[in-house]
Amino acid sequence: MYNILKKETIAPQVDAMIVEAPYIARHHQAGNFVVLRIDEKGERIPLTIADSDSEKGTITLLFQKIGKTTEELGTLKTGKAIRDIAGPLGHATPIMDYGYCVLVGGGIGSATLYPILKALKGKSNNVTVILGARNKELLIWGDRFKELADEVLLTTDDGSSGRKGLVTEALKEVMDKSKVEIVIAVGPIRMMQAVAELTKPYNVKTLVSLNPVMVEGTGMCGACRVNVGGKTRFACVEGPEFDAHEVDFKELANRLGFYREEEQASMEIFKKKKCKGRCKKSNKGT
Amino acid sequence: MRARDPKKRSKDFKEVALGLTEKQAVKEAKRCLQCKKPKCVEGCPVEINIPAFIGKIRDTDSPGALNVIRQYNMLPAICGRVCPQENQCQGRCILGKKKTPIAIGALERFAADYDAKNSSPEKPVQIKPNGHKVAVVGSGPAGLTVAADLAKLGYEITIFEALHEAGGVLVYGIPEFRLPKKIIQREIEYVKSLGVKIQLNWVVGRTQTVEELFEEGYKAVFIGVGAGSPKYMSIPGENLNNVYFASEFLTRVNLMKAEQFPKYDTPVKKAKRVAVIGGGNVAMDSARTALRLGAEKVYIVYRRTEAEMPARLEELEHAKEEGIDFRYLSNPKEIIGDERGYVKAMRCDKMVLCEPDASGRRKPECSGEEFILEVDQVIMAIGQTSNPILVRSIKGLNLWGAGYIEVDENGASNIPGIFAGGDISTGAATVISAMGAGKRAARAIHDYIRSSYPA
């Protein structure tokens, strides 16, 4: 069992959780993820390690409540525990003295980018972070990025924070202004694909962190296979980061939608159960 | 051996083979000639004294029979069910030359099941500790064997398992209808009763390195992580929706209990017409699992003929009885998708057999003809290769082939204190050969520690 030391909601539908996992904390490197299973009947899902503290022996997980498992995870409060967590998994982000780097994050992508920023700033890099979201509330960890990054640019669809528009527009301006050595983009598939298409003509090395369906997460089942440069690669052991210009995003999106019906069915049942619990309580109250 | 009615059993996940009754077992045991130089023992990778245990069953001393087996084999209920006996003990039985060989596998299973039915759960065994710690990586057949053998000698053993459940391929790979989970549970409880600790969710190489295990005082590390990376054919359409690797398909059902979705959270796609590619046990397991999930038509597509099929005879027969449609001399060349990116058919080459290849089996070559199977799901069961996570994390470890650990006949690697056995050193093989490797490695580890750390 892995104890939840702290749980809080940091944005609409987004929770942060500090979990006791000393061995994972000790070996965590930027780019790594864990696979967790809430309980006996749970599924195994991958979550990025958003931060870690090797002295305290803790890891931080950020998750958006978009399916049954993440919703259920969100119901676990401080003091509860998660049955299984395995990690740290996946390749570490290649960190070196690049010079000028741009990190581009959409929504929950911040969770993956934060440790990368930390690691890049541990070397002599100049880093601009571009964070985008639908609105101000959905911008995640903007303050934390501002503490470490040389520059943080915010974009929102409705203009409620930063500039109104897409991250790609901000990125284009940055690239037109200065020579960028590397772009690392993490977020929804459409965003990562748009970044890849934008940076390609500029000939800027671009990495994306992919989030395919996974089952066991250690290269054993092949559920997470993605097409990179015409070759089948396993995101869990050969990724999750790949050269953005080589990724077949269409195939990835298609494979991600494969279990949509089941995900919806599972969610419906979960919501019904949750409501039932609430209804009972309110009955008692009256 | 008795088996359940194919029509009924192909609709559920309960065990197919029923085992022998005591009366049947004694009758079968009486047929044994009790050879002075038993050929069957030569055919057994762990050299069980087969005539001795059969003699005990003949004398209605089933507990005695189990005691004999357990001196050689820690997992008799499992081996009785999954060993390819026709190529091993039974295949060598002298009676088989003229008529039916002794059903050694069925008798082994009988002895183990008799004990499970008639004795109380395992009580902790008191063993005098010798003060040395050994780490075992992987809780499959090789790891469990090493752990049990060394625990009996007084070693403090911790098994590190990457998944959330112990048993390795026995739990994620082999279906319930062939090897019920409660049987594995019982065997694992036995290993634990010897004082063995099992640390789950521990990906050695990532959660902790082998170097760190040595720093924590482990005197030796045994690596039995299996060949857990699926092979693929690199044909067009392999990444379409509804194309599964057998390992994913079986893991979803066996480990994650997807057949019980939504009671369990992990789903698996149930298809109407399924093609399974391959001719081994994993192909049979996948085909029969697809059938049990409700498929109307299941093909096994294999590029050679039945004679070359590597599957156990019993699995092949059971699959046929259940109505699996075998398409021999057929080699898939393309999986065809619809406009939504889902499987709708598979294009295959018709093959002919030519001269034997390196494996000694006749090599299939294209005949020039092709055909199309209309299916909505494809499961690839064409073998596994080594998983790079752990082996590549150990600096200086000698590897061979596709990343298998190079070991001597006792399982010792080129690095002192690191041993390996099972599929990660041999390439994909059988449960029993992994156990045999585990037994040899346990002896070698014992010798290594005694000579390196004299009392």
Side-chain angles (χ1 to χ4, degrees), chain B residues 25-47:
Chain B
V26 172
K27 193 178 164 203
E28 182 68 5
K30 279 182 179 160
R31 289 208 305 127
C32 175
L33 298 177
Q34 294 288 322
C35 303
K36 285 250 162 57
K37 282 187 184 163
K39 291 276 175 208
C40 53
V41 179
E42 288 171 21
C44 174
V46 296
E47 295 166 28

Side-chain angles (χ1 to χ4, degrees), chain B residues 30-89:
Chain B
K30 279 182 179 160
R31 289 208 305 127
C32 175
L33 298 177
Q34 294 288 322
C35 303
K36 285 250 162 57
K37 282 187 184 163
K39 291 276 175 208
C40 53
V41 179
E42 288 171 21
C44 174
V46 296
E47 295 166 28
I48 297 175
N49 188 342
I50 293 166
F53 96 75
I54 293 182
K56 297 277 185 192
I57 293 177
R58 181 195 59 209
D59 301 340
T60 63
D61 176 12
S62 295
L66 185 64
N67 283 339
V68 172
I69 300 170
R70 277 204 173 149
Q71 288 170 28
Y72 307 87
N73 177 352
M74 219 56 59
L75 313 166
I78 295 171
C79 290
R81 287 172 166 82
V82 305
C83 267
Q85 288 98 359
E86 67 271 19
N87 303 329
Q88 300 177 352
C89 51

